[in-house]
Amino acid sequence: QVHLVESGGGLVQAGGTLGLSCVASGITFSINAMGWYRQAPGNRRELVATIIRGGNTNYADSVKGRFTISRDNAKNTVYLQMNSLKPEDTAVYYCNARAIVGNVDYWGQGTQVTVSS
């Protein structure tokens, strides 16, 4: 099992910045990819950004150039730096970890990000 605990988030004005962190515990050696997803009210959960153990990253088109995902393997922590935030970035942000074997997904409890216009 892998347990994910997120921190960060909150309320910010449009154009502002926020940072999210997610610490993994448990069977962390089983994790390859970590990432962030978000879900706005009435919408499906969508990918924001992912990063694999080797450092390769993937971003949703809507956040490219504004968000940066990074990872500290020694601390089992993944970060999301969000710049130039827009009201449409408002959502609950979920940390995700995917196991190497079986592609099992683990999820954090979610943290609210609200961007006011």
Side-chain angles (χ1 to χ4, degrees):
Q1 282 284 355
V2 174
H3 185 55
L4 302 173
V5 178
E6 299 134 338
S7 60
L11 174 64
V12 66
Q13 289 188 332
T17 64
L18 279 175
L20 304 180
S21 300
C22 173
V23 180
S25 60
I27 312 176
T28 56
F29 65 84
S30 68
I31 298 172
N32 181 21
M34 296 189 72
W36 294 92
Y37 290 70
R38 67 187 181 187
Q39 187 168 17
N43 291 356
R44 295 171 54 187
R45 189 172 297 187
E46 63 178 9
L47 178 145
V48 176
T50 60
I51 183 168
I52 64 172
R53 188 174 288 272
N56 286 354
T57 58
N58 180 47
Y59 293 92
D61 287 343
S62 59
V63 307
K64 283 180 180 177
R66 300 187 298 121
F67 291 10
T68 302
I69 190 169
S70 61
R71 178 172 177 172
D72 186 332
N73 291 328
K75 296 181 178 180
N76 296 313
T77 302
V78 64
Y79 306 94
L80 186 68
Q81 178 65 34
M82 302 182 290
N83 299 328
S84 302
L85 281 159
K86 304 175 180 179
E88 52 263 43
D89 294 319
T90 295
V92 177
Y93 283 67
Y94 295 92
C95 179
N96 168 269
R98 177 163 292 181
I100 296 172
V101 177
N103 284 334
V104 176
D105 280 317
Y106 300 94
W107 295 95
Q109 77 283 1
T111 185
Q112 178 70 45
V113 172
T114 302
V115 184
S116 63
S117 57

